[in-house]
Amino acid sequence: GGWAAAAAAARQNAMAAQCELGGGWQPEQAGLERTVQLLQASANPQVSNAERSEVAREVDSLCLQPDFARYLAFVAAEADKMGAELNIRYLSSVVLLKAVRI
């Protein structure tokens, strides 16, 4: 009785937590590449002010899209496996904080 109910509740809670964290979500390659490109452009000191403003506008717009936070979290978690530089991992975390606050 009690143990089976507790086990079922634990499984249900674990499934709910997995759904909240994205479960088996995997990024689409094009979206992942664009996310990394935007982060790289925003971190590149050689990018012109006009280009930097355009990148900032696109990032601001994407922050309103729920999946963008997932892409940012993926980059933050997997940057080293993707061959991305440490500053891209850091920047994805900073932008992620901004995205979840909007």
Side-chain angles (χ1 to χ4, degrees), residues 44-92:
N44 185 345
Q46 297 179 350
V47 170
S48 72
N49 286 342
E51 290 173 306
R52 192 175 309 280
S53 293
E54 187 176 322
V55 166
R57 278 193 299 277
E58 186 171 350
V59 168
D60 287 345
S61 173
L62 288 170
C63 281
L64 300 174
Q65 304 298 320
D67 270 355
F68 189 57
R70 289 180 174 188
Y71 281 93
L72 292 167
F74 188 88
V75 170
E78 304 291 331
D80 55 337
K81 295 176 188 170
M82 298 167 38
E85 298 176 13
L86 182 61
N87 66 332
I88 298 303
R89 181 181 213 166
Y90 171 77
L91 193 53
S92 66

Side-chain angles (χ1 to χ4, degrees), residues 4-63:
R11 276 194 307 277
Q12 189 174 21
N13 288 342
M15 287 174 30
Q18 187 177 24
C19 289
E20 288 175 15
L21 295 174
W25 182 86
Q26 288 293 314
E28 293 180 15
Q29 190 62 34
L32 184 59
E33 289 172 4
R34 185 63 185 149
T35 301
V36 171
Q37 288 171 351
L38 289 169
L39 294 169
Q40 289 172 333
S42 65
N44 185 345
Q46 297 179 350
V47 170
S48 72
N49 286 342
E51 290 173 306
R52 192 175 309 280
S53 293
E54 187 176 322
V55 166
R57 278 193 299 277
E58 186 171 350
V59 168
D60 287 345
S61 173
L62 288 170
C63 281

